[in-house]
């Protein structure tokens, strides 16, 4: 049910060993700066990556052109299961970036990878991960104790009087708290109270539809209060501008 | 206590009535940009101010009225128009002074002409009404004439303003009638409050009309500014269309030359000639057209800027998915991308480190927004003003026009512009809600 709350899981998939090593070193350096620790999984081709990808990784570095299966095809496979992971494509050509957007990969490393470019594209990704790691919440209920990583919470829903249900990437966790308490706890982490019964993580919002409904990246929809709509659009714009 | 209660509730009631009338007038104005909330807030503030100062009002008739009027005006101007504090203070003070002077003048003339003192005057409600009516109309007309002369007021604005000022005497008559209703004991302490109450009502009415006037003027100014921006954007677009024609011509020539070169290459194969040909090919690089995005206008802009970047030795990275951007007018694509890239290239040119002479433009659809990020590095310090970097351009007529014309274009789509900056990095982010497939959704985004 739970991922490891501490370590950052990074997968690097590239047929070129030198590139893999380089990305690994640059990641390590950046994680040191942020006080993060990570574990790396390396793959030589897309097929082995799709087969052996660990559950709930944080960042995927995928070379676009490898063997039979391309990095973009591999990303499509991964996205079916995982809408949260940050995918970074690497290529000699800018032309593939546009295809990358179709799998919500907004970071793109042009080869040859140099420190400056890597820093530009990845700094805020690691910064956000560090912030998430500093803010892991613990929830106790009848089923046991759960560590809650705000980045993996899709939305929080009022499920009864004084109980809420946290819908996370890993499943649902019930707890005896008010929605207001979670709203306060998640301040500054990209959440928005779109309805009296819902607190949504803006990173998982796919779009706000005209009929006062928002669509989550998993396809699920949530109601939006009419009077919160304008503020939601504003908050979503803020969240979106950090992603591209 | 009951006296205070009656006094307060009557004041509030009349203020509320007046606010309603003024709101109606505002709704008749050509541009409904005024947030009602800030208007009501300013009126409430004014009511409280008068309630507090009302009792010492007689002694400081002119100074006090002007002061309260000015403070309310400034608060109002700040709340409604996003102008700097200094301008608001100046405008507020000027309007109030001019307004109150005109009214005081009328009052003075009436007192002088009828050879009565102020106490007699205040005891005669009818005289007050006529005087206030005259004073208000004179003040309002003076302001209107000044601003019409300045040429930034539409004829349609004037009628609602006169309606407001003509309604004021009616309100005063209403108050007078309350005072003279059969149920009210004329010898009770209430009566002492009535002159003050009258003054409050009159003043509230006057300030309300002043506010409507200020608002009307600011709306007009915005309209004029929008028209100016629109013509600027349009002229940029026209210039761009002209350039496109010339670049088409250049391209055709380049194509012909290339054909010739291919022929030569087939005839001669000696190493020297090939080197020479390679050199010519490199020179032709700048004429090469990249099919970046599939959108004609955007492609031309990107190609043009890529050529400029190449000339300045700036790395130009284009990661653009514009497949959902078709709803933007060509003139707006031109304004948004053209200005954003011009600014970025301008800044990147000043950067010394070769690693940081990079301009990146990213664009795709994220969470229902067409999102554009133009990123660059800059050298030196940015001067900020009004939440955005100040232009370094010297030509006064283009000063700061870039970002403003982007904003102007965005206002057509309910779009937003954001600026991120740290150390030596700068990003301009543009977000435009994509509404085409949602059909009727546009109005709900229009003013966010």
């Amino acid at each position: 049910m739970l991922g490891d709350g501490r370590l950052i899981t990074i997968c690097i998939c590239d047929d070129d060993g030198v590139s893999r090593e380089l990305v690994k070193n640059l990641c390590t350096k950046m994680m040191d700066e942020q006080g993060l620790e990570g574990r790396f999984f390396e793959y030589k081709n897309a097929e082995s990556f799709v087969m052996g990808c660990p559950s709930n990784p944080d960042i995927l570095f995928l070379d676009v052109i490898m063997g039979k299966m391309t990095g973009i095809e591999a990303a499509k496979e991964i996205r079916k299961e995982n809408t949260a992971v940050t995918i970074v494509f690497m290529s000699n050509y800018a032309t593939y970036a546009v295809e990358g957007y179709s799998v919500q990969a907004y970071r793109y490393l042009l080869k040859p990878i140099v420190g400056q470019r890597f820093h530009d594209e990845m700094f805020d990704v690691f910064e956000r991960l560090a912030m998430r790691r500093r803010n892991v919440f613990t929830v106790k209920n009848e089923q046991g104790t759960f560590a809650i990583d705000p980045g993996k919470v899709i939305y929080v829903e009022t499920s009864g009087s004084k109980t809420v249900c946290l819908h996370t990437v890993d499943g649902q966790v019930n707890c005896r708290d008010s929605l207001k308490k979670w709203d306060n706890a998640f301040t500054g982490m990209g959440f928005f109270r779109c309805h009296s019964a819902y607190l949504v993580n803006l990173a998982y919002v796919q779009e706000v539809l005209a009929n006062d409904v928002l669509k989550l990246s998993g396809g699920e929809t949530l109601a939006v209060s009419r009077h919160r709509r304008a503020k939601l659009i504003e908050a979503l714009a803020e969240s979106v501008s950090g992603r591209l | 206590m009951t006296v205070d209660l009656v006094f307060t509730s009557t004041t509030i009631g009349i203020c509320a009535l007046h606010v309603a009338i003024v709101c109606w007038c505002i709704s008749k104005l050509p541009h409904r940009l005024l947030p009602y909330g800030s208007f009501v807030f300013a009126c409430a503030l004014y009511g409280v101010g008068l309630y507090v100062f009302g009792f010492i009002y007689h002694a400081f008739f002119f100074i006090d009225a002007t002061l309260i009027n000015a403070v309310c005006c400034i608060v109002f101007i700040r709340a409604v128009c996003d102008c700097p504090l200094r301008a608001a203070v100046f405008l507020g003070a000027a309007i109030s002074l001019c307004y109150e002077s005109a009214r005081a003048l009328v009052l003075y003339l009436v007192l002088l002409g009828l050879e009565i003192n102020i106490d007699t005057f205040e005891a005669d409600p009818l005289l007050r009404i006529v005087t206030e009516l005259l004073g208000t109309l004179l003040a309002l007309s003076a302001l209107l004439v000044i601003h019409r002369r300045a040429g930034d007021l539409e004829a349609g604005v004037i009628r609602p303003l006169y309606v407001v000022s003509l309604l004021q005497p009616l309100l005063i008559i209403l108050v007078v009638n309350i005072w003279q209703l059969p149920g009210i004991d004329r010898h009770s302490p209430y009566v002492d409050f009535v002159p003050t109450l009258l003054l409050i009502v009159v003043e509230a009415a006057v300030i309300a009309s002043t506010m409507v006037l200020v608002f009307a003027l600011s709306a007009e100014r915005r309209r004029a500014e929008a028209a100016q921006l629109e013509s600027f954007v349009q002229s940029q677009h026209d210039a761009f269309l002209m350039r496109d024609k010339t670049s088409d011509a250049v391209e055709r020539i380049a194509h012909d030359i290339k054909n010739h070169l291919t022929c030569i290459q087939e005839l001669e194969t000696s190493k020297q000639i090939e080197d020479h040909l390679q050199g010519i090919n490199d020179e032709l690089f700048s004429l090469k057209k990249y099919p970046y995005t599939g959108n004609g206008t955007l492609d031309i802009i990107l190609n043009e800027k890529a050529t400029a970047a190449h000339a300045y030795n700036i790395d130009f990275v284009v990661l653009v998915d514009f497949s959902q951007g078709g709803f933007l007018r060509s003139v707006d694509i031109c304004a948004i991308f053209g200005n954003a890239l011009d600014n970025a290239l301008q800044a990147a040119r000043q950067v010394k480190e070769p690693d940081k002479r990079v301009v990146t433009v990213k664009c795709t659809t994220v969470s229902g927004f067409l999102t554009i990020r133009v990123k660059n590095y800059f050298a030196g310090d940015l001067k900020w003003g009004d939440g955005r970097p100040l232009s370094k351009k010297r030509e006064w007529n283009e000063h700061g026009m870039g970002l403003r014309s982007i904003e102007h274009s965005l206002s057509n789509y309910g779009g937003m512009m954001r600026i991120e900056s740290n150390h030596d990095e700068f990003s301009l982010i543009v977000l435009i809600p994509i509404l085409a497939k949602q059909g009727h959704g546009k109005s709900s985004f229009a003013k966010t």
Side-chain angles (χ1 to χ4, degrees):
Chain A
M1 185 93 191
L2 284 176
D4 190 319
R6 300 283 134 206
L7 285 176
I8 305 283
T9 308
I10 297 173
C11 301
I12 307 170
C13 182
D14 192 327
D15 48 7
D16 174 19
V18 182
S19 288
R20 288 203 303 270
E21 200 58 32
L22 182 61
V23 170
K24 203 169 141 180
N25 289 340
L26 288 166
C27 284
T28 313
K29 197 176 142 212
M30 205 169 263
M31 283 194 290
D32 286 345
E33 283 170 18
Q34 297 282 353
L36 294 168
E37 273 182 81
R39 50 180 182 164
F40 293 92
F41 294 84
E42 295 180 46
Y43 309 89
K44 283 186 191 134
N45 56 52
E47 290 85 353
S48 65
F49 162 69
V50 173
M51 292 295 290
C53 180
S55 67
N56 285 320
D58 293 288
I59 306 175
L60 309 178
F61 289 94
L62 303 174
D63 189 15
V64 176
I65 304 164
M66 301 175 285
K68 263 192 206 153
M69 194 183 200
T70 69
I72 290 167
E73 284 164 349
K76 275 184 187 145
E77 285 300 310
I78 298 297
R79 269 284 181 251
K80 282 181 191 165
E81 308 279 315
N82 189 335
T83 53
V85 61
T86 301
I87 299 177
V88 185
F89 285 114
M90 309 181 286
S91 172
N92 296 74
Y93 309 101
T95 39
Y96 296 106
V98 175
E99 274 183 73
Y101 291 145
S102 66
V103 286
Q104 290 94 53
Y106 303 121
R107 316 277 158 178
Y108 198 84
L109 286 173
L110 266 180
K111 286 184 178 178
I113 296 164
V114 285
Q116 185 66 48
R117 269 189 209 157
F118 187 85
H119 184 274
D120 289 353
E121 286 293 295
M122 301 306 297
F123 179 76
D124 53 335
V125 174
F126 282 101
E127 195 181 45
R128 214 162 299 157
L129 281 173
M131 177 169 164
R132 273 167 51 183
R133 286 298 182 274
R134 278 196 299 273
N135 292 291
V136 174
F137 298 88
T138 345
V139 167
K140 273 184 198 165
N141 64 14
E142 296 80 35
Q143 278 95 46
T145 306
F146 300 89
I148 302 292
D149 171 357
K152 290 184 176 172
V153 175
I154 304 168
Y155 67 99
V156 189
E157 177 188 19
T158 314
S159 56
S161 65
K162 286 192 181 167
T163 54
V164 294
C165 177
L166 293 120
H167 296 256
T168 73
V169 173
D170 312 300
Q172 300 181 2
V173 179
N174 285 301
C175 76
R176 295 190 61 81
D177 271 317
S178 66
L179 196 56
K180 196 169 166 48
K181 197 206 117 180
W182 283 104
D183 196 356
N184 291 334
F186 287 156
T187 306
M189 294 181 209
F191 281 78
F192 187 82
R193 186 82 174 267
C194 64
H195 187 272
S196 56
Y198 302 115
L199 177 66
V200 69
N201 187 341
L202 294 168
Y204 292 92
V205 176
Q206 197 174 55
E207 63 181 318
V208 181
L209 302 174
N211 53 348
D212 291 327
V213 158
L214 66 80
K215 198 167 147 199
L216 295 169
S217 48
E220 219 175 328
T221 55
L222 295 182
V224 176
S225 304
R226 185 149 285 211
H227 69 281
R228 296 179 213 237
R229 187 189 164 92
K231 283 258 184 285
L232 169 68
I233 299 286
E234 235 167 82
L236 188 59
E238 163 128 28
S239 150
V240 164
S241 67
R243 264 178 272 164
L244 184 69
Chain B
M1 277 298 107
T2 49
V3 171
D4 280 350
L5 206 66
V6 171
F7 177 67
T8 314
S9 54
T10 322
T11 313
I12 291 171
I14 287 167
C15 281
L17 185 62
H18 200 83
V19 167
I21 292 168
V22 173
C23 283
W24 172 79
C25 287
I26 291 166
S27 72
K28 295 287 164 203
L29 290 174
H31 301 279
R32 299 186 56 187
L33 297 169
L34 177 74
Y36 284 101
S38 49
F39 175 73
V40 172
F41 171 74
C43 276
L45 191 84
Y46 184 74
V48 172
L50 276 185
Y51 185 76
V52 173
F53 287 108
F55 296 97
I56 50 164
Y57 200 63
H58 296 274
F60 305 99
F61 183 77
F62 176 70
I63 301 168
D64 209 32
T66 312
L67 205 65
I68 298 170
N69 207 328
V71 169
C72 298
C73 257
I74 292 162
V75 170
F76 183 73
I77 293 168
R78 280 284 282 178
V80 174
C81 341
D82 37 347
C83 68
L85 185 63
R86 217 169 56 182
V89 168
F90 178 75
L91 193 62
I95 288 176
S96 314
L97 198 66
C98 160
Y99 215 98
E100 292 297 329
S101 307
R103 292 181 52 249
L105 183 70
V106 170
L107 176 67
Y108 177 72
L109 289 175
V110 166
L111 292 180
L112 210 68
L114 298 178
E115 289 178 346
I116 50 170
N117 65 16
I118 187 124
D119 289 332
T120 327
F121 172 78
E122 282 187 354
D124 188 345
L126 195 68
L127 198 59
R128 270 221 74 118
I129 294 164
V130 174
T131 312
E132 288 295 347
L133 172 65
L134 277 174
T136 309
L137 278 181
L138 179 75
L140 196 56
S141 305
L143 283 181
L144 287 175
V145 166
I146 291 166
H147 283 285
R148 278 210 90 173
R149 283 231 135 165
D152 57 353
L153 199 60
E154 239 178 39
V157 178
I158 294 161
R159 208 167 54 187
L161 291 177
Y162 276 108
V163 170
V164 179
S165 38
L166 286 171
L167 278 168
Q168 284 163 18
L170 295 178
L171 281 170
I172 297 166
I173 291 167
L174 190 77
V175 177
V176 174
N177 286 339
I178 291 172
W179 177 33
Q180 291 178 340
L181 279 178
I184 293 181
D185 177 8
R186 292 199 189 181
H187 302 291
S188 80
Y190 299 82
V191 176
D192 292 340
F193 288 93
V194 172
T196 318
L197 185 62
L198 259 179
L199 275 172
I200 288 173
V201 172
V202 169
E203 276 308 318
V206 168
I207 192 75
S209 0
T210 318
M211 284 170 173
V212 171
L213 182 70
V214 168
F215 163 67
L217 294 178
S218 78
E220 283 300 305
R221 189 155 298 146
R222 283 187 204 200
R223 190 187 56 82
E225 201 177 88
Q228 188 197 354
L229 276 173
E230 181 68 37
S231 75
F232 176 73
V233 167
Q234 199 66 50
S235 71
Q236 271 191 328
H237 190 239
D238 291 347
F240 155 76
L241 289 178
M242 286 298 295
R243 282 203 304 280
D244 182 32
K245 274 186 194 133
T246 57
S247 79
D248 272 353
V250 171
E251 206 175 354
R252 203 179 54 245
I253 296 163
H255 180 76
D256 291 345
I257 294 173
K258 266 200 167 168
N259 281 344
H260 288 304
L261 289 174
T262 320
C263 296
I264 297 167
Q265 217 159 8
E266 278 173 12
L267 290 171
E268 276 294 341
T269 50
S270 89
K271 180 81 180 100
Q272 266 183 333
I273 290 176
E274 254 182 45
D275 283 352
H276 188 61
L277 290 175
Q278 187 56 46
I280 297 171
N281 248 334
D282 283 348
E283 292 213 9
L284 284 172
F285 167 83
S286 59
L287 293 170
K288 190 178 166 194
K289 193 162 185 162
Y290 297 91
Y292 276 125
T293 64
N295 179 296
T297 310
L298 185 54
D299 281 351
I300 294 162
I301 293 171
L302 289 175
N303 277 291
E304 190 183 292
K305 303 306 171 198
T307 312
H310 186 73
Y312 296 128
N313 214 7
I314 295 167
D315 206 358
F316 191 65
V317 183
V318 179
L319 308 170
V320 172
D321 158 28
F322 204 66
S323 54
Q324 304 235 47
F327 65 95
L328 289 177
R329 289 189 305 163
S330 163
V331 61
D332 294 321
I333 294 173
C334 188
I336 294 167
F337 281 92
N339 287 305
L341 289 171
D342 279 348
N343 287 348
L345 288 171
Q346 181 80 15
R349 278 170 65 183
Q350 320 291 330
V351 177
K352 297 280 185 293
E353 304 97 305
D355 266 7
K356 296 190 172 182
R357 284 175 79 95
V358 189
V359 170
T360 311
V361 47
K362 283 181 166 189
C363 170
T364 187
T365 308
V366 188
S367 299
F369 290 94
L370 182 72
T371 311
I372 304 158
R373 178 186 283 263
V374 177
K375 190 160 114 180
N376 61 273
Y377 293 93
F378 60 89
D381 290 327
L382 280 182
K383 284 203 184 78
W384 292 78
D386 218 5
R388 62 182 55 177
L390 291 176
S391 170
K392 284 180 182 164
K393 277 188 185 146
R394 293 225 169 74
E395 301 85 6
W396 66 271
N397 56 340
E398 287 196 12
H399 196 89
M401 285 294 256
L403 289 183
R404 269 163 61 211
S405 55
I406 294 177
E407 276 186 331
H408 174 72
S409 281
L410 289 178
S411 68
N412 299 329
Y413 307 96
M416 286 154 269
M417 186 179 86
R418 303 172 58 84
I419 286 166
E420 279 178 13
S421 172
N422 50 34
H423 308 303
D424 55 353
E425 272 179 63
F426 183 88
S427 282
L428 180 79
I429 304 143
V430 166
L431 299 127
I432 307 166
I434 296 176
L435 301 152
K437 58 185 166 181
Q438 296 165 28
H440 60 283
K442 182 156 185 168
S443 60
S444 55
F445 284 105
K447 288 277 168 253
T448 45

